[in-house]
Amino acid sequence: DVRLPGEKGCRLRATTRGRRAWNRHKPDGSEGPEGWLGLTGNLLPCHYSVQSVASDTQYEISLPGLGSVSGGGVSHVETNYGVSFPRGWCYLQTGSFELGQGSLVVTGGRFAIGPISPMSWIVCLRVPGLEWDFRSTDLGTKFLHSFSASNTCLSLNGTAPGGRSIEISAHAAKGTFAEEDVWIPTVEGFRNKPGCAETFSAEIKIVARRKGKLAGAWRVPMSVLEFGGEFLTT
């Protein structure tokens, strides 16, 4: 139940059910997006945890002068914790395909790992019959990427052991991004210069292959696309 301070009458009420863990074979949450790197403790200044890749959700939104609207959908529930966000990052998320059974999460950025800040990617694709993870930190996984905040687009191709490959592209109209950059945690405190820019109206195209053969292809509208930190200047 969320009420916005300073915005009298604005309210969001939502109920989620049916948590789907990152790894359905480990519903206790012992495996998450960081993979083996999550065992390194304080080596990472920013940790990433996903509580549910897709939970059934019922919601009601009330806006002053406009009334209320209610409905159902799918929620992705995650959190970051630690000292500060990475120097720069991109983020994609959608859960509105395969009749609510499909979910995609993509995060990439200059993540500090000890004394270095390599470009790292994490991709999570969940659809019936496919439960695929791609991580830069996993042996044998490789990525090719291009992105531009000024052109509001991102392209990512990944390959992993076992002949798995994924092609992802995302684009959104510039006018769909929020007018003010979102505030983010930094080592100097919360700031929005630079912060992050995000839209919930991106279109994502996904192509998954196994040993060169098509495993699935999807075109998903109304998705999240975000650029943050130093990547806002790309």
Side-chain angles (χ1 to χ4, degrees):
D1 193 337
V2 180
R3 304 185 190 214
L4 301 181
E7 300 290 339
K8 187 175 181 181
C10 290
R11 185 177 185 181
L12 166 65
R13 288 179 287 184
T15 301
T16 63
R17 295 183 176 89
R19 172 177 175 262
R20 300 180 196 172
W22 181 275
N23 185 335
R24 63 186 176 87
H25 299 296
K26 297 180 180 180
D28 60 350
S30 58
E31 181 179 321
E34 296 175 348
W36 65 267
L37 202 58
L39 303 175
T40 58
N42 294 332
L43 182 65
L44 300 178
C46 180
H47 282 278
Y48 179 36
S49 176
V50 174
Q51 174 69 10
S52 177
V53 297
S55 291
D56 294 334
T57 303
Q58 297 295 318
Y59 64 86
E60 180 181 2
I61 302 173
S62 300
L63 299 173
L66 297 175
S68 299
V69 62
S70 60
V74 178
S75 293
H76 172 85
V77 186
E78 65 172 56
T79 188
N80 295 99
Y81 60 97
V83 178
S84 65
F85 272 23
R87 288 165 39 193
W89 72 91
C90 306
Y91 178 80
L92 292 175
Q93 191 276 321
T94 189
S96 55
F97 62 106
E98 288 286 344
L99 300 177
Q101 298 299 306
S103 177
L104 174 76
V105 184
V106 177
T107 182
R110 296 288 180 189
F111 293 90
I113 303 174
I116 61 174
S117 298
M119 186 68 191
S120 299
W121 292 95
I122 299 171
V123 176
C124 164
L125 174 66
R126 300 291 184 267
V127 295
L130 292 180
E131 188 170 306
W132 284 6
D133 293 335
F134 297 78
R135 300 184 184 91
S136 296
T137 53
D138 287 345
L139 189 64
T141 299
K142 299 178 181 179
F143 289 99
L144 293 174
H145 69 265
S146 65
F147 56 83
S148 171
S150 59
N151 293 318
T152 60
C153 61
L154 180 151
S155 176
L156 180 67
N157 293 342
T159 58
R164 294 179 296 128
S165 67
I166 192 165
E167 302 165 19
I168 301 167
S169 62
H171 182 265
K174 292 183 179 180
T176 64
F177 283 77
E179 294 182 1
E180 180 179 346
D181 289 343
V182 178
W183 291 67
I184 63 171
T186 73
V187 291
E188 291 86 21
F190 277 85
R191 298 178 182 272
N192 72 337
K193 300 296 180 184
C196 74
E198 63 182 8
T199 176
F200 296 87
S201 300
E203 179 181 273
I204 300 177
K205 296 178 182 178
I206 312 160
V207 178
R209 292 186 172 88
R210 183 188 286 113
K211 297 182 178 180
K213 295 183 179 181
L214 185 66
W218 304 269
R219 177 177 170 269
V220 192
M222 302 304 293
S223 303
V224 179
L225 171 60
E226 178 181 296
F227 299 97
E230 63 183 30
F231 288 1
L232 282 172
T233 61
T234 58

